């Protein structure tokens, strides 16, 4: 039976084409991909791209995707990071095949393959110091020099490697290196180190090992042991591919996955490096890895971005080998689009002015109910109560309005959303001239109908003071003041510390008023505040019915494009 392997409605790209060809030719019956993070930090938006790609391909082609912790650098890794990585992948809507894998589970196998390489005369124990090794390595234009230890006998190498494992030598005093070619044009092939001595406690293997395998050596073998068919990574590993293949070609292993590279995502006004994000956390510039200003998956979650929004973003930015520098507006646009039909809508006033409705009359002035979403009647309705005092947004009133003003002004009319048309009769100011109250009158004939004999175009949101619920509202803005904070060079040509470009106004905390309908909301409930934006109750600090805390996810319109222009 012949299969059409093209999933519908998914934008194609070169990796899909390779997979489709491999399935069609019968090279593979089923694809197996993997997502291999190092548990040395929380995952960020760049990883989200890689997750959507690897897990997405497995889903689309009925294959499998493994989650593998690439844990070969014990000093920087921890179980906290492992847990957050698992949580982030699940939250994005993906699940891995079987159990989580760990490169550290392969330490015994990796050791045995190293012994096999030594036996075959393809690996040797080297005593050069790190500094000497650098000098011997040569440069891009000059070949390297062979290590004086390169011609040790197999017996001596086996003995030394065993003793390295047994802890007989100090940290850093010896390495195990592959014997490839010191004059190779590709520096990765100049007798790369595959094991180093490091007495460090490992989050899973404890103190069992004092030698640890290097990334390039570990990665290809881990892929092969798991039967990965397509090993997809970012472009900086393109030059490592010959080494990936060399290792697999020189050991006895029945599987040889193929490595394919795509360009990494760079998101403007954000950093996509765990090391740099870690610095923001440890230096206290943000409240943690999950600070809503962080481009981490946990940060984006707390900010209110939806998994669907991030997946849509990943789909839009595509997969290729050319530069992938993306404006924040693309991410926000995707988030906004997915929230539009999902988030119930309520009214909130974040910067209030008090309005007294002078002709409010008990028993005459009445309220209406309103749907939570104009296109989703199944979201239900709530009452939108009115009282003598209401709040409106300060910028919905202008004493001296600009041309085409459709909001409230002295002597003008406006409709209160889901309620009456009101007219402003009087403006009350404090000693400094700041407006502190408006006195308005209701046209009692306008509830649910148009006023007779005139048109009132403007509609504003508002909230009944007697019914409003106070909320702490956290207004987030971009974390940096420049688009590429880690790519700015000073006069000396050196990179300037990106900490200098932190936006001091990236968080503003205010008290706003929201409809009482939201007081029963659980943590992580999203709403659209009409005419303002999307908000989510904070995952940690919001306490249902007691302390309402909202994070601003994104405004209703794209303010980024305008600001960064
Ligand atoms: P970082 O520099 O942030 O630590 P990394 O590439 O070292 O990034 P890993 O944990 O090794 O982080 O990455 C796991 C996977 O995610 C790798 O396959 C890597 O290529 C991919 N990845 C990391 N950053 C990006 C990015 N910005 N865009 C796309 N994929 C990425
Ligand atoms: Mg890394």
């Amino acid at each position: 039976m012949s299969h059409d392997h093209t999933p519908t409605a998914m934008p194609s790209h070169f990796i899909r084409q390779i997979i489709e060809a491999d399935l069609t030719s019968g090279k593979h019956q089923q694809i197996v991909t993997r997502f291999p993070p190092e548990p040395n930090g929380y995952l960020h938006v760049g990883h989200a791209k890689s997750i959507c790609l690897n897990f997405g391909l497995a889903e689309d082609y009925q294959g499998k995707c493994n989650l593998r912790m690439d844990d070969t650098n014990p000093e920087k890794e921890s179980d906290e990071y492992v847990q957050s990585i698992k949580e982030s992948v699940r939250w994005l809507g993906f699940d891995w095949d079987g159990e989580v894998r760990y490169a550290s589970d392969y330490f015994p196998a990796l050791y045995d393959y190293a012994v096999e390489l030594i036996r075959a005369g393809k690996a040797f124990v080297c005593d050069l110091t790190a500094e000497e090794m650098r000098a011997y390595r040569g440069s891009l234009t000059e070949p390297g020099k062979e290590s004086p230890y390169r011609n040790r006998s197999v017996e001596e190498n086996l003995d030394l490697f065993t003793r390295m494992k047994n802890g007989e030598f100090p940290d850093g005093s010896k390495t195990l290196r592959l014997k490839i070619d010191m004059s190779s044009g590709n520096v990765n092939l100049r007798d790369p180190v595959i094991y180093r001595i490091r007495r460090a406690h490992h989050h899973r293997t404890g103190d069992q090992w004092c030698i640890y395998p290097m990334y390039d050596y570990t990665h290809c073998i881990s892929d092969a042991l798991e039967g990965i068919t397509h090993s997809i990574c970012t472009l900086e590993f393109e030059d490592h591919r010959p080494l990936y293949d060399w290792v697999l070609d020189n050991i006895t292993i029945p599987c040889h996955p193929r490595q394919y590279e795509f360009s990494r995502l760079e998101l403007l006004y954000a950093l996509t490096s765990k090391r740099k994000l870690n610095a923001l956390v440890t230096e206290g510039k943000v409240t943690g890895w999950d600070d809503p200003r962080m481009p981490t998956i946990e940060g984006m979650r707390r900010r209110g971005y939806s998994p669907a929004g991030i997946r849509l973003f990943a789909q839009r930015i595509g997969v290729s080998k050319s530069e992938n520098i993306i404006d924040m507006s693309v991410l926000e646009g995707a988030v906004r689009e997915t929230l539009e039909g999902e988030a119930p809508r309520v009214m909130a006033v974040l910067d209030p002015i008090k309005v007294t409705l002078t002709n409010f009359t008990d028993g005459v002035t009445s309220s209406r109910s309103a749907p939570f979403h104009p296109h989703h009647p199944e979201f239900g309705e709530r009452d939108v109560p009115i009282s003598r005092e209401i709040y409106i947004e300060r910028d919905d009133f202008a004493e001296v309005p600009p041309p085409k003003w459709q909001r409230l002004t002295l002597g003008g009319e406006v409709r209160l959303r889901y309620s009456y048309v009101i007219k402003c009769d009087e403006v009350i100011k404090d000693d400094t001239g700041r407006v502190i109250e408006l006195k308005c009158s209701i046209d009692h004939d306008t509830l649910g109908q148009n006023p007779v004999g005139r048109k009132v175009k403007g509609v504003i949101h508002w909230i009944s003071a007697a019914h409003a619920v106070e909320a702490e509202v956290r207004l987030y803005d971009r974390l940096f003041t420049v688009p590429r904070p880690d790519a700015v060079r000073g006069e000396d040509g050196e990179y300037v510390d990106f900490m200098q470009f932190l936006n001091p106004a990236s968080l503003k905390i205010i008290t706003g008023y929201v409809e009482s309908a939201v007081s029963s909301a659980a943590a992580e409930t999203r709403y659209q505040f009409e005419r303002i934006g999307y908000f989510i109750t904070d995952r940690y600090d919001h306490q249902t019915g007691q302390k309402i805390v909202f994070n601003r996810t994104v405004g209703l319109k794209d303010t980024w494009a305008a600001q960064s222009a």
Side-chain angles (χ1 to χ4, degrees), residues 297-316:
I297 297 178
E298 298 238 19
M300 294 191 288
R301 170 178 180 175
R302 203 166 162 197
R303 173 92 168 233
Y305 291 8
S306 60
I310 297 172
R311 291 197 306 262
L312 178 63
F313 169 71
Q315 193 181 313
R316 290 220 169 122

Side-chain angles (χ1 to χ4, degrees), residues 86-272:
K86 295 201 296 196
E87 172 127 14
S88 290
V89 172
R90 283 215 193 90
W91 179 77
L92 274 178
F94 298 107
D95 201 3
W96 46 91
D97 184 64
E99 299 289 309
V100 174
R101 327 278 165 133
Y102 295 85
S104 55
D105 286 347
Y106 310 136
F107 284 169
L110 291 161
Y111 182 83
D112 291 345
Y113 285 118
V115 170
E116 181 186 341
L117 287 163
I118 295 172
R119 287 221 164 91
K122 292 173 179 169
F124 66 100
V125 174
C126 185
D127 297 3
L128 290 182
T129 63
E131 206 178 309
E132 289 165 336
M133 210 171 301
R134 224 168 291 129
Y136 274 73
R137 204 160 180 236
S139 66
L140 287 175
T141 47
E142 275 174 62
K145 264 194 333 195
E146 293 190 349
S147 161
Y149 305 97
R150 199 176 198 262
N151 296 315
R152 278 176 164 155
S153 68
V154 168
E155 289 65 36
E156 189 183 1
N157 281 321
L158 283 174
D159 174 59
L160 288 173
F161 188 51
T162 310
R163 291 166 60 196
M164 275 170 67
K165 179 181 84 149
N166 293 342
E168 291 186 29
F169 306 116
D171 282 11
S173 61
K174 291 188 182 345
T175 56
L176 184 71
R177 299 175 67 180
L178 296 178
K179 216 185 265 189
I180 308 182
D181 179 5
M182 284 311 290
S183 59
S184 171
N186 183 339
V187 288
N188 295 300
L189 295 180
R190 293 185 188 167
D191 294 2
V193 171
I194 60 169
Y195 267 93
R196 67 223 193 281
I197 308 175
R198 206 77 201 82
R199 282 173 180 73
H201 189 82
H202 189 280
H203 73 110
R204 298 191 81 237
T205 58
D207 298 316
Q208 194 187 335
W209 295 86
C210 66
I211 55 170
Y212 288 99
M214 302 295 286
Y215 173 86
D216 282 323
Y217 175 72
T218 308
H219 200 78
C220 53
I221 298 179
S222 305
D223 279 350
L225 290 171
E226 291 176 15
I228 301 300
T229 54
H230 299 79
S231 176
I232 303 165
C233 62
T234 37
L235 269 179
E236 67 272 22
F237 291 104
E238 196 166 28
D239 290 345
H240 297 237
R241 190 183 343 127
L243 177 54
Y244 184 104
D245 290 331
W246 189 96
V247 171
L248 295 181
D249 285 339
N250 285 279
I251 59 175
T252 315
I253 200 160
C255 173
H256 191 136
R258 292 294 156 191
Q259 174 181 305
Y260 300 98
E261 307 88 14
F262 68 100
S263 51
R264 51 196 299 129
L265 165 67
E266 191 188 327
L267 186 64
L268 294 181
Y269 291 97
L271 295 173
T272 43

